[in-house]
Structures are given as C-alpha cells and as structure tokens.
Amino acid sequence: MVYDLDGTLVDLVVDWGAVAEDVIAVYEDAGAEPPGDGLWELLGTAPKYGLEAEVEAAIAAHEREGARASDRLSHADALDPATAGRTAVCSLNCEDACRIALDAHGLTPGVAAVVGRDTVSTHKPDPEPLLSAVDRVGGDPEDAVFVGDSERDAVTAERAGVAFRWV
C-alpha cells in the first residue's frame, strides 16, 4: 500500500496562495519574470532560471510549518505498524514535511518508506516517485495500490501501472 499524504492521511495547514507569492518573490528577487502564478508551474520552470533550490526552499519552508500544524485524517487509521514493512507514502510535498506530519501524528511506525517531491528527480504525476515508493517496500507495481485524493494521484497511478483508490 502506498498513500498520498496531504488530503489523504493528514491535512497540511498551508496557505498555498502565500506560498505562490513567496515563490514569485524568489523569481523577482533574481530579476526573472515569473512564468505565471501557478505554484507547480513556478516550480517546474525554476530550473530554466537556475532557481530550483531557492524555489524548493521557499515551498518546503511553508510545508514544514504546515506539517507541524496539520490535522490527522481518518484514513491515517489504516496505517498499522504490523504491516509497515509493506507501506509507503508518496507525496507531492517535500520529504521532510511528510516525515514531520507523520511524526506529529504518531504515524511513522506504520510507514516503511517516504518519497516526497524532492526524494527523486521527478514529482507526481510522473510515475517515478510512486514506482520508487513501491520499490522501497519491496513491492511490484502490479500488486500495489496507491490511495490518494486528487486527479494528480490518479494519473500518477495510471502512469505507473498501479491500482488506484480514491479517499
């Protein structure tokens, strides 16, 4: 089993509009024209301007803070330390924020692997993060299930050849 984090196991308390404003400020401080105001577009375009580290740091700072203030959701009850060896988290959030949220809610014993946006070289909806999460718990894509709350999660599962279940 692989779970998305935000909106599935916990709700991170993040003002995504404020995050986008901070990322736009990173572009402007570097003298670069932001490619738009959509956060994921800003993140995806950052390498073109040599701003990947700065943009990632701005987003991750908000995510870590939001992870500390996050709310546990009922699907978190499915995490069981007895089956942790076969359970992972695959998230568009940075890995550190995922770990902070899992720790904050006592969920870490139920998860063997965490793959965040910054764990591998791509992020959802690319299949690499999900396939990495499955691999890290010794699973096979055809036997795995990805549980998530967004269309991005569903597309990621489809691209990875992994069954998907909505929360």
Side-chain angles (χ1 to χ4, degrees):
M1 293 293 290
V2 181
Y3 293 89
D4 172 52
L5 181 79
D6 191 21
T8 302
L9 299 175
V10 301
D11 267 333
L12 298 186
V13 180
V14 177
D15 178 345
W16 294 107
V19 178
E21 289 174 13
D22 284 355
V23 171
I24 288 169
V26 168
Y27 275 84
E28 291 171 346
D29 290 348
E33 181 70 29
D37 60 3
L39 183 58
W40 304 119
E41 177 185 18
L42 292 163
L43 176 64
T45 307
K48 176 181 174 182
Y49 296 96
L51 297 173
E52 188 171 22
E54 294 87 348
V55 167
E56 177 60 37
I59 297 169
H62 283 273
E63 290 174 331
R64 285 190 295 275
E65 184 178 318
R68 288 182 189 93
S70 63
D71 297 311
R72 180 183 170 128
L73 299 175
S74 62
H75 283 90
D77 295 341
L79 298 181
D80 181 355
T83 59
R86 304 282 292 164
T87 305
V89 166
C90 176
S91 178
L92 189 56
N93 302 110
C94 71
E95 182 177 341
D96 193 37
C98 294
R99 293 187 182 283
I100 290 168
L102 292 169
D103 285 346
H105 297 286
L107 302 174
T108 301
V111 177
V114 175
V115 176
R117 174 184 66 248
D118 54 346
T119 308
V120 295
S121 63
T122 62
H123 53 81
K124 299 185 304 183
D126 189 280
E128 181 188 14
L130 178 55
L131 292 172
S132 178
V134 170
D135 184 61
R136 289 169 189 231
V137 294
D140 293 311
E142 60 273 3
D143 297 325
V145 176
F146 184 37
V147 179
D149 70 318
S150 72
E151 185 63 30
R152 181 185 297 262
D153 293 335
V155 169
T156 302
E158 181 180 346
R159 290 178 178 176
V162 172
F164 182 72
R165 188 169 71 209
W166 289 92
V167 297

